[in-house]
């Protein structure tokens, strides 16, 4: 029901679960049976509610393989360099809240903020934070618009596919899906506190052997900040290469970019 998004009969769930789901609009009728509109996944032992499969709606709240890799990237970075107890953290495009809550589990005293343009994402991120026993402030906005101050850690796991369906959770815009990553990284770097870090997890279209995303991100470095850039997987979403938007692309690589700024 909540893992594989399969239809189920009314008698399969006890009334104290079925009725709240029905009352909240969390069920849909499928040929006389029910189907949950929500899905539940476990990341590092923590449960997250997100959109059911398949995620075809433009405003779907996605949680998938990239979410797990993003959580591992965050954990590895904070293991290497823990956050200060008073750290201010923002997860831009938080979705179901995986990035922010991963930090919260590793740095319990950090002040957590999640932003997203998708109101449904913020609603589910709040539910997931409550279930995890964490305090997550959520704000519906693009990037950091309307939010004051600087941050000790900024998390970015933006969409990075050129999507004809304009699905919010998937479409990364121009530059073969890389424009959103560049725009958000530029906005984030301007809001890092002294000694702050930006963790970006995204995809990069490799064209004629060149990683243009890496080249452009490197040009954003200033004020003594350093960039650590790694290719995590050389070839993902190979099926996209048959689409017109990728006619000149060799491959799509999964990458991480960690910016570290001096104190």
């Amino acid at each position: 029901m909540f893992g594989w998004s399969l239809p189920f009969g009314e008698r399969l769930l006890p009334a104290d679960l079925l009725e709240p789901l029905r009352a909240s609009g969390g069920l849909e009728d499928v040929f006389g049976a029910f189907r949950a509109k929500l899905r539940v996944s476990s990341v590092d032992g923590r449960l997250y509610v997100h959109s059911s499969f398949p995620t075809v709606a433009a405003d779907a709240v996605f949680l998938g393989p990239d979410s797990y890799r993003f959580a591992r990237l965050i954990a590895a970075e904070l293991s290497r360099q823990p956050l200060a107890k008073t750290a201010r953290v923002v997860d831009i495009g938080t979705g179901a809240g995986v990035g922010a809550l991963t930090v919260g589990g590793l740095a319990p005293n950090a002040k957590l903020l999640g932003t997203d343009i998708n109101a449904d994402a913020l609603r589910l991120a709040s539910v997931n934070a409550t279930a995890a026993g964490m305090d997550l402030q959520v704000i519906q906005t693009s990037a950091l618009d309307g939010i004051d101050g600087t941050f000790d850690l900024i998390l970015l796991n933006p969409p990075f596919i050129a999507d004809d369906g304009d699905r919010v959770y998937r479409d990364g815009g121009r530059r073969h899906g890389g424009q959103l990553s560049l725009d958000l990284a530029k906005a984030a770097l301007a809001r890092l506190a002294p000694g702050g870090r930006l963790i970006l997890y995204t995809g990069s279209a490799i064209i004629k052997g060149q990683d243009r995303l890496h080249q452009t991100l490197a040009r954003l470095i200033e004020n003594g900040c350093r960039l650590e850039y790694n290719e995590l997987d050389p070839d993902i979403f190979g099926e996209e290469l048959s689409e017109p938007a990728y006619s000149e692309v060799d491959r799509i690589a999964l990458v991480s970019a960690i910016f570290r700024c001096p104190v």
Side-chain angles (χ1 to χ4, degrees), residues 50-51 55 59-67 94-96 98 118 169-170:
H50 56 103
S51 295
T55 48
D59 59 351
V61 183
F62 183 75
L63 191 155
D66 286 321
S67 306
T94 191
V98 172
N118 184 351
Y169 76 89
R170 196 170 190 266

Side-chain angles (χ1 to χ4, degrees), residues 204-207 209 231 233-236 241 246 249-253:
S204 178
I206 309 300
I207 302 172
E231 189 171 284
D233 192 322
D235 191 3
I236 59 172
L241 301 183
Y246 289 93
V249 175
D250 305 336
R251 58 188 175 89
I252 303 171

Side-chain angles (χ1 to χ4, degrees), residues 24-25 38 49 61 95-96 118-130 138:
S24 66
L38 299 173
V49 180
V61 183
N118 184 351
D120 284 342
L122 296 178
R123 179 174 61 88
L124 295 185
S126 295
V127 168
N128 293 331
T130 299
V138 296

Side-chain angles (χ1 to χ4, degrees), residues 125-143:
S126 295
V127 168
N128 293 331
T130 299
M134 297 186 196
D135 184 11
L136 173 66
Q137 180 187 8
V138 296
I139 298 178
Q140 186 174 3
T141 187
S142 176

Side-chain angles (χ1 to χ4, degrees), residues 60 131 180 242 262:
L180 184 59
S242 62

Side-chain angles (χ1 to χ4, degrees), residues 24-103:
S24 66
L27 298 175
E28 60 182 353
D29 292 324
V30 182
F31 302 111
F34 292 111
R35 181 176 176 272
K37 293 182 179 180
L38 299 173
R39 195 177 187 187
V40 180
S41 295
S42 173
V43 182
D44 293 334
R46 193 172 293 115
L47 295 179
Y48 293 86
V49 180
H50 56 103
S51 295
S52 62
F53 179 85
T55 48
V56 294
D59 59 351
V61 183
F62 183 75
L63 191 155
D66 286 321
S67 306
Y68 292 87
R69 291 169 173 166
F70 186 44
R72 287 197 295 268
L73 177 65
I74 294 169
E77 173 61 21
L78 295 190
S79 174
R80 179 165 52 176
Q81 183 182 342
L83 283 172
K85 288 185 177 181
T86 58
R88 191 179 186 214
V89 180
V90 60
D91 185 9
I92 299 176
T94 191
V98 172
L101 299 187
T102 296
V103 173

Side-chain angles (χ1 to χ4, degrees), residues 12 29 31 46 66 71 106 110 117 127 146 154 163 167 169 176 182 190 195 200 205-206 220 228 230 234-235 240:
L12 196 58
D29 292 324
F31 302 111
R46 193 172 293 115
D66 286 321
L106 299 168
I117 60 174
V127 168
I154 300 179
D163 183 46
R167 284 168 286 184
Y169 76 89
H176 309 93
L182 289 171
L200 169 64
I206 309 300
L220 298 179
E228 178 184 307
N230 287 297
D235 191 3
E240 297 293 333

